[in-house]
Amino acid sequence: MAESSTTKSIYLEVRFAILQGAYRPGQILDRNELCQVYGCKSAIVVDALNVLVHEGYLDIPKRGVFGVRTWSTVEVNDLFDIRATMMAMAAARAAERRTDLEVGILGRALEFAAPFDYSDADATERFITSCAGLQNMVVQMARVSTISEIARSMGPNALFRKSVWSQNPRQLNNMWKRMEQTCQAIAHRDANDAHVRMTEFVEATRAPLLVSLKTLPSAAWPEFPAISRINCSI
């Protein structure tokens, strides 16, 4: 139980440090230092960091080394082009194939999620969880096995969360409206509108993310960041 708790703490705190810019793209995380800071074995650190690799926060530039992943504009645009096409197709198929039971579940999920006040990190994380959950429901309702298999890799957790954290309340509110409109189109069996609204939802996450990548300082930073604990309860 203690090891599980430590793994979760490392995962959450390193993720938060990357999102807030404490650990910069390209920097290497010293495993020995992480072990000392968290008072744990190397295997526990590796378990947490491997999850962050899977979600797009870190990469492995060489064997046994974990670095903060650097996303290029070209790479992000390619991913978003593919994701917009894939999710729009999923929304259209969901509108054609949904059941009344699924529509009811989708509606209750929308009611349970809103409204959002975006007043603090917890509220923003709830927004992220709600958006991710609704997208997963749409993919499941589409009943296209190929989309289900590739959906995760086409929308890395790191990019979606970074995009949300880069937006102001007005932008996030508009983004949520696109998701609501997508769900309404699915409920009305309007495949064309569902396709359009889901495309708009995906596009609403692209621009803020690209802006955030461009605002990274041009000055070089140390190869290894100073590892420290973060008060992160989210």
Side-chain angles (χ1 to χ4, degrees):
M1 182 65 71
E3 290 187 358
S4 176
S5 177
T6 302
T7 302
K8 184 176 181 181
S9 294
I10 297 171
Y11 163 77
L12 288 173
E13 292 177 23
V14 171
R15 185 183 75 178
F16 187 70
I18 292 171
L19 287 168
Q20 72 170 184
Y23 302 157
R24 300 287 190 171
Q27 287 190 315
I28 303 301
L29 301 183
D30 189 311
R31 279 195 292 166
N32 291 330
E33 190 174 354
L34 281 165
C35 290
Q36 293 174 4
V37 169
Y38 288 91
C40 65
K41 299 177 182 177
S42 180
I44 295 176
V45 169
V46 170
D47 284 345
L49 298 186
N50 275 330
V51 176
L52 292 168
V53 169
H54 181 67
E55 295 187 350
Y57 295 92
L58 303 175
D59 60 11
I60 304 177
K62 60 182 179 180
R63 185 174 180 179
V65 175
F66 293 89
V68 180
R69 182 163 180 173
T70 299
W71 291 93
S72 70
T73 298
V74 171
E75 189 176 15
V76 169
N77 276 322
D78 286 345
L79 278 171
F80 270 83
D81 286 342
I82 296 170
R83 182 165 180 79
T85 300
M86 178 187 69
M87 290 303 298
M89 176 184 172
R93 294 293 184 272
E96 296 168 348
R97 300 170 180 176
R98 99 292 188 279
T99 65
D100 290 341
L101 176 61
E102 288 172 329
V103 170
I105 295 173
L106 197 64
R108 286 193 292 274
L110 281 170
E111 292 175 4
F112 178 77
F116 302 100
D117 59 17
Y118 315 112
S119 60
D120 55 29
D122 287 295
T124 302
E125 285 295 312
R126 188 167 66 85
F127 174 88
I128 291 171
T129 301
S130 298
C131 285
L134 288 168
Q135 289 179 86
N136 287 337
M137 291 176 66
V138 170
V139 168
Q140 292 171 6
M141 291 165 67
R143 296 179 178 82
V144 180
S145 58
T146 305
I147 292 180
S148 297
E149 292 167 3
I150 67 175
R152 188 176 185 86
S153 61
M154 289 301 101
N157 180 292
L159 293 184
F160 184 68
R161 180 171 271 101
K162 178 63 175 176
S163 173
V164 171
W165 278 41
S166 301
Q167 297 183 53
N168 59 44
R170 178 184 59 80
Q171 290 173 310
L172 292 175
N173 189 52
N174 287 335
M175 183 176 162
W176 182 253
K177 284 183 178 178
R178 298 294 181 270
M179 178 55 69
E180 287 182 320
Q181 290 167 345
T182 300
C183 295
Q184 291 166 1
I186 291 172
H188 295 150
R189 294 190 185 276
D190 190 335
N192 288 333
D193 193 41
H195 187 284
V196 170
R197 299 306 178 186
M198 181 58 85
T199 300
E200 292 175 345
F201 171 82
V202 175
E203 289 302 320
T205 67
R206 185 200 305 243
L209 177 60
L210 292 176
V211 170
S212 73
L213 293 177
K214 290 180 180 178
T215 56
L216 286 172
S218 58
W221 38 74
E223 181 181 8
F224 296 89
I227 304 296
S228 60
R229 295 294 303 266
I230 295 176
N231 182 16
C232 178
S233 61
I234 302 170

